[in-house]
Amino acid sequence: MNNNPQIKAKDLTVGYNHFILLNKISFNINNHDIFIIMGASGGGKSSLLRVLTGLQEPLSGQVLINNIDFTLASSAQKEALMQKCGVLYQSGALFSSMTLAENIALPLEQYTDYSKKTIRDMVSLKLALVGLKGFEDFYPSEISGGMKKRAGLARALALDPQIVYFDEPSAGLDPVSSKLLDDLIIDINQCLGTTIVIVTHELSSIFNIGTNSIFLDVETKTISARGNPKDLLKNPPNKNVYNFLTRGGISHA
């Protein structure tokens, strides 16, 4: 396995105007990681994810993807890089007026010259991959919340990305649906070799699927811990990490 960093953040400062959320943080995300971005509310997790996906500019610092400086890239370079990335938003962000097949076909129609038949076949394959075979003609309003998340994941995988970003994937899901999604994330990581980056506060997901992580400390505005979440639980480097990973002293290991 190639463990060269696929994403590098260097001296990254994240915030809005003069309000700093994260101050000069640096970290690496390796190929095939399931990388967890965790921390208390208000610590900058979602803002950091927006910077990594190009939806928000950092106040300073660099984000390099495959050694290309994403923060200084031209619009065309950013688009080319993002075609190698997929994003699953909290709600799934499916277009309500389009069927699942039409939702998943959209990036293929926009960014490839595949024939209509090839696109149909690829759509069916992506839906089967997330356990939604036979649901091509369903609308988002006709399926459950967990199925919407999986359909959103199928769309994120449409262009066979090297990296998939997840924003609170378990939000709003019952424990069974959440576990099914966690298992699916592991399968995609292991079978397709996809690098996974997840913002989450769900302890069960953090411990079950995370292979590497950073903890964003809302007090210091820096990274106060990094490494495998299970290792951090065994040897927490500070009180804030301990309290977060045990929810105030009750272990979830």
Side-chain angles (χ1 to χ4, degrees), residues 50-111:
R50 285 195 290 271
V51 169
L52 294 178
T53 56
L55 295 176
Q56 178 179 329
E57 292 292 328
L59 296 180
S60 63
Q62 295 175 287
V63 174
L64 290 88
I65 300 177
N66 295 326
N67 288 320
I68 298 172
D69 191 335
F70 189 52
T71 47
L72 295 179
S74 66
S75 296
Q77 288 173 319
K78 284 186 177 181
E79 183 173 307
L81 283 171
M82 286 311 298
Q83 285 182 35
K84 299 177 182 178
C85 303
V87 183
L88 177 61
Y89 300 98
Q90 277 194 40
S91 63
L94 298 170
F95 292 102
S96 60
S97 61
M98 301 170 68
T99 66
L100 300 191
E102 290 169 340
N103 268 280
I104 296 158
L106 190 60
L108 293 165
E109 292 167 348
Q110 288 185 327
Y111 297 112

Side-chain angles (χ1 to χ4, degrees), residues 1-62:
M1 181 179 294
N2 180 5
N3 278 328
N4 292 325
Q6 191 164 25
I7 302 171
K8 299 178 184 178
K10 293 185 175 181
D11 295 325
L12 207 58
T13 297
V14 177
Y16 302 90
N17 296 321
H18 298 294
F19 181 73
I20 305 282
L21 285 166
L22 298 166
N23 189 33
K24 294 185 178 180
I25 64 170
S26 299
F27 60 91
N28 293 337
I29 300 175
N30 293 327
N31 286 302
H32 314 309
D33 266 348
I34 299 181
F35 190 91
I36 306 293
I37 299 172
M38 58 184 178
S41 297
K45 300 186 299 297
S46 293
S47 295
L48 175 57
L49 190 67
R50 285 195 290 271
V51 169
L52 294 178
T53 56
L55 295 176
Q56 178 179 329
E57 292 292 328
L59 296 180
S60 63
Q62 295 175 287

Side-chain angles (χ1 to χ4, degrees), residues 92-238:
L94 298 170
F95 292 102
S96 60
S97 61
M98 301 170 68
T99 66
L100 300 191
E102 290 169 340
N103 268 280
I104 296 158
L106 190 60
L108 293 165
E109 292 167 348
Q110 288 185 327
Y111 297 112
T112 74
D113 57 0
Y114 296 144
S115 68
K116 290 184 177 180
K117 181 183 183 304
T118 298
I119 290 176
R120 284 197 303 271
D121 290 344
M122 293 184 70
V123 166
S124 294
L125 176 63
K126 301 305 179 184
L127 283 171
L129 183 65
V130 300
L132 291 176
K133 182 180 180 181
F135 283 85
E136 284 85 350
D137 296 328
F138 281 64
Y139 286 89
S141 62
E142 297 175 320
I143 59 177
S144 69
M147 294 168 76
K148 288 177 185 176
K149 290 285 181 81
R150 285 187 277 146
L153 178 54
R155 188 178 60 186
L157 294 170
L159 296 174
D160 297 319
Q162 299 173 0
I163 305 164
V164 178
Y165 299 95
F166 292 77
D167 185 12
E168 298 283 4
S170 299
L173 298 184
D174 61 84
V176 174
S177 297
S178 180
K179 177 64 165 57
L180 288 172
L181 186 58
D182 282 350
D183 291 343
L184 183 56
I185 289 170
I186 292 172
D187 287 343
I188 290 167
N189 171 257
Q190 293 181 348
C191 297
L192 302 182
T194 309
T195 300
I196 307 290
V197 183
I198 303 178
V199 165
T200 185
H201 66 276
E202 295 288 341
L203 289 182
S204 58
S205 295
I206 288 170
F207 293 127
N208 288 336
I209 69 177
T211 62
N212 200 358
S213 70
I214 53 174
F215 181 86
L216 305 181
D217 195 307
V218 68
E219 295 177 1
T220 64
K221 304 182 188 300
T222 60
I223 297 170
S224 66
R226 63 186 77 215
N228 188 296
K230 292 180 180 177
D231 293 336
L232 295 179
L233 179 63
K234 291 176 183 177
N235 189 25
N238 58 65

